[in-house]
Amino acid sequence: MPETERIVINAAPLIALVAALGDLTVLQSLYTQVLVPLEVCQEILAGGSSGFAVAEF
């Protein structure tokens, strides 16, 4: 179990989790808060609504 209750995450781990597991629910079981900076949101959403990992994000 992680030693912290919250993390700041960037795009690469988010995309990797979706690619490996198909969703991001594992983060809910590990952390009470997952902080996603605005720039990371913009990077994920840059591909448009049909971009990879957008629906899961």
Side-chain angles (χ1 to χ4, degrees):
M1 198 69 169
E3 294 182 21
T4 181
E5 292 185 13
R6 65 181 162 167
I7 61 165
V8 177
I9 197 164
N10 66 25
L14 290 172
I15 292 169
L17 285 171
V18 172
L21 304 175
D23 62 38
L24 298 170
T25 57
V26 67
L27 294 174
Q28 291 176 319
S29 64
L30 295 173
Y31 304 101
T32 56
Q33 254 187 330
V34 178
L35 306 172
V36 183
L38 175 63
E39 295 79 8
V40 174
C41 292
Q42 291 171 335
E43 184 178 348
I44 297 280
L45 299 174
S49 61
S50 62
F52 184 77
V54 170
E56 294 81 6
F57 180 64

